[in-house]
Amino acid sequence: MNKLLLWAALTAVFVSCKDSEMAKLLDGAWTGGYNVSYDDGSKEHVNETLEFSYNENSENDNGTFTEVLDGKMHISDDDGTMVCKYRSRIEGRYEVLAGDLYLYYNMSTLAVDVDENDIDISFDHALDQLEYEAASMEYITSTLRSPKEEMAKEAKKEILQNLFHQYKQTDEDTGFLDLKVSDSEMSFETEDMGRFTFHKNVP
């Protein structure tokens, strides 16, 4: 074996060992948060928890993971603001490859929870608030359902659709680059939102 091939082989072994070391360090639950602003003026705050379960005997990857998002959306217009909370959950398998983190989502496990208690509506003017309350009472009387119940259903449908497309797009061999892991902190680069940092949850 010439020196070039030997060097390449040694480098590959070193990278593989470092990947395995980082994959093992990921074992456990990590939490981080971020804010998103959309073109329509709405805003969202998300707390994200990634829980990894390392499996040294796995042949195709490093183990399994679960991702949970606790989101809070703020949608405002000239009359007032609607706040919608939600929780989503998805499972999959993970792999550290050449220093990057790859998450392979199992789309069939994606679930979103939103109920009427997660919807809060406030108005800037008292008259608008009174009109909304009167319309709500009329709606409840005629349908025996809360208007917030319908809002929650629509919000759940839209959030589920958006997350499905987001995960599907990310699953197309898109890695989270330059993974860094310590005993207490984990971070990686994303394509559109910069570097994300997570802190390990203490049992």
Side-chain angles (χ1 to χ4, degrees), residues 1-10:
M1 180 180 292
N2 64 40
K3 291 183 179 179
L4 185 60
L5 290 177
L6 178 60
W7 175 255
L10 290 173

Side-chain angles (χ1 to χ4, degrees), residues 5 11 24 26 31 43 49-50 52 64 72 77 83 92 99 110-112 120 143 161 163 168:
L5 290 177
T11 300
K24 191 172 183 178
L26 283 175
T31 299
K43 297 180 180 180
T49 299
L50 282 166
F52 297 94
T64 60
K72 188 175 184 180
D77 59 21
V83 176
L110 177 60
V112 175
D120 183 54
T143 66
Q161 185 179 48
L163 287 175
K168 194 71 175 174

Side-chain angles (χ1 to χ4, degrees), residues 24-181:
K24 191 172 183 178
L25 276 173
L26 283 175
D27 190 80
W30 308 77
T31 299
Y34 56 91
N35 297 302
V36 185
S37 296
Y38 299 98
D39 292 339
D40 62 1
S42 59
K43 297 180 180 180
E44 182 177 7
H45 177 74
V46 179
N47 284 324
E48 178 178 356
T49 299
L50 282 166
E51 184 168 2
F52 297 94
S53 181
Y54 177 70
N55 180 4
E56 62 181 351
N57 297 318
S58 180
E59 295 182 358
N60 300 320
D61 48 47
N62 298 125
T64 60
F65 77 92
T66 300
E67 179 182 289
V68 174
L69 302 181
D70 285 298
K72 188 175 184 180
M73 302 183 69
H74 293 257
I75 303 170
S76 301
D77 59 21
D78 293 337
D79 298 320
T81 302
M82 182 179 83
V83 176
C84 175
K85 298 178 184 177
Y86 70 89
R87 167 170 279 211
S88 69
R89 187 178 189 277
I90 192 168
E91 300 173 2
R93 306 191 68 82
Y94 80 97
E95 179 180 21
V96 179
L97 186 61
D100 301 330
L101 174 63
Y102 290 84
L103 301 179
Y104 307 117
Y105 300 98
N106 181 350
M107 303 305 296
S108 67
T109 65
L110 177 60
V112 175
D113 289 322
V114 183
D115 64 39
E116 60 181 290
N117 295 322
D118 295 319
I119 304 289
D120 183 54
I121 300 174
S122 61
F123 293 90
D124 296 333
H125 305 287
L127 182 59
D128 291 331
Q129 182 72 39
L130 290 172
E131 289 178 351
Y132 167 75
E133 292 174 358
S136 295
M137 289 303 299
E138 185 177 340
Y139 183 88
I140 293 171
T141 302
S142 60
T143 66
L144 300 180
R145 295 195 307 272
S146 164
K148 285 187 178 182
E149 184 180 342
E150 295 301 314
M151 293 177 192
K153 285 182 180 179
E154 289 300 314
K156 177 179 178 178
K157 180 180 177 181
E158 184 174 345
I159 292 168
L160 184 62
Q161 185 179 48
N162 290 340
L163 287 175
F164 182 89
H165 289 302
Q166 177 183 316
Y167 287 132
K168 194 71 175 174
Q169 191 173 36
T170 303
D171 209 24
E172 303 289 340
D173 295 325
T174 301
F176 297 99
L177 308 181
D178 189 26
L179 175 67
K180 297 185 185 302
V181 191

